[in-house]
Amino acid sequence: MRIKRTCFTHMVARFMWNVKPEASMPKIVLVKDDFHQSVTHAVNSLMTGNIIAVPTDTIYGVAGLAQDTKAVEKIYTLKKRNESKPIAICVNAIDDIYRWCKVTVSDELLKDLLPGPVTLIFERQESLNPDFNPDTHLVGIRIPDDEFIGQVAGNCGSPLALTSANITNSQSSLAIQEFQELWPSLDAVFDGGVLGNTHESRLGSTVIDLSKPGTFNIIRNGCSYRKTVDLLTLKYNLKEEEKGRR
C-alpha cells in the first residue's frame, strides 16, 4: 500500500518537531596535525571573544582574553567558579611580565623559573583589565613550557586568562576526554594528547607569591614544589614567609 506524499510529509514534520536539537559542540583540533594552523585557529577564536581549551606544560586549561571582561565571565560561568576566586594570566615572554606586573625579583630569577610549571604572584599593573580579579591588587602570571600555548599567547598580543579545564574543586584534566562536560561551552578544544599519567601530573603549577621583596610564600605546592623552594632559598637567598603573617 503506497502512502500519499502529503501524508508522508506530515508524518516526517511531526517526527522532526519532537526531536530535540543537540547542543552545539566545539571543534576538536589535533594540534600535531597542523601546528601553525592550530595556533591561527586558537588566536582567531580568542580574538573574537570565545573561550577555548588548551594543553599546557602541566594540565589542560581553559583560556580567554584577560582584557575581555565578557570572555572572563564565560570562564567563571563554565567552571561554576566563585567570582571572588582569582584567575591567573598567561603570557609568552619574560618582558611581558613587566607590562602586567610590578616585579620584585631579578630578571635572572624569572629566567630560572620560566618558562616552567610555576605561577608567580606579583602586584598588578594598572594596565591590566580592572574588571579582571577586581577584588585583589595581586595577580598570578604564567609562562608555560609549551610551544603551542606560548605561540597563542604571543600572537594575541595581550594576556590570556588561564585556569584548569574542570569544574571547580573537581579533578584536573590530563586528556581532553576528561572534561567532556565542558565541551558544549567551548568554541574549540585543542588536543595536545595525554599530558601525563601520574598523581603528580595532576597537581598543576606551583604557585608562589613573590609580591614582597626578599620573601616568598608558597600558595600551592603543585608539581614543582621542592625544585622551586630550593632555587629560591639556596640560589637567591629568599626567605619563606611564616604562615599567617600576610
Side-chain angles (χ1 to χ4, degrees), residues 22-55:
E22 294 184 3
S24 59
M25 296 298 287
K27 182 175 182 181
I28 308 299
V29 181
L30 295 175
V31 174
K32 66 179 182 179
D33 283 357
D34 190 332
F35 181 86
H36 296 292
Q37 183 59 38
S38 296
V39 170
T40 299
H41 184 171
V43 171
N44 289 340
S45 180
L46 291 166
M47 296 297 285
T48 52
N50 295 310
I51 58 175
I52 60 177
V54 293

Side-chain angles (χ1 to χ4, degrees), residues 61-90:
V62 172
L65 294 184
Q67 299 297 82
D68 184 337
T69 300
K70 289 185 178 179
V72 174
E73 289 174 352
K74 290 178 184 178
I75 294 176
Y76 276 95
T77 299
L78 170 78
K79 286 178 61 71
K80 301 178 182 178
R81 187 181 180 94
N82 189 313
E83 292 184 1
S84 65
K85 191 172 182 180
I87 291 176
I89 60 175
C90 169

Side-chain angles (χ1 to χ4, degrees), residues 160-171:
L160 306 182
L162 181 65
T163 184
S164 56
N166 59 341
I167 300 295
T168 298
N169 295 325
S170 64
Q171 178 176 265

Side-chain angles (χ1 to χ4, degrees), residues 119-156:
T119 300
L120 307 183
I121 297 176
F122 297 107
E123 285 195 28
R124 57 193 287 156
Q125 294 280 16
E126 290 72 16
S127 52
L128 190 61
N129 179 4
D131 293 326
F132 182 76
N133 301 340
D135 297 329
T136 178
H137 64 291
L138 303 175
V139 66
I141 192 162
R142 286 212 67 200
I143 303 180
D145 189 12
D146 179 90
E147 185 179 6
F148 175 74
I149 188 64
Q151 288 204 21
V152 171
N155 280 282
C156 282

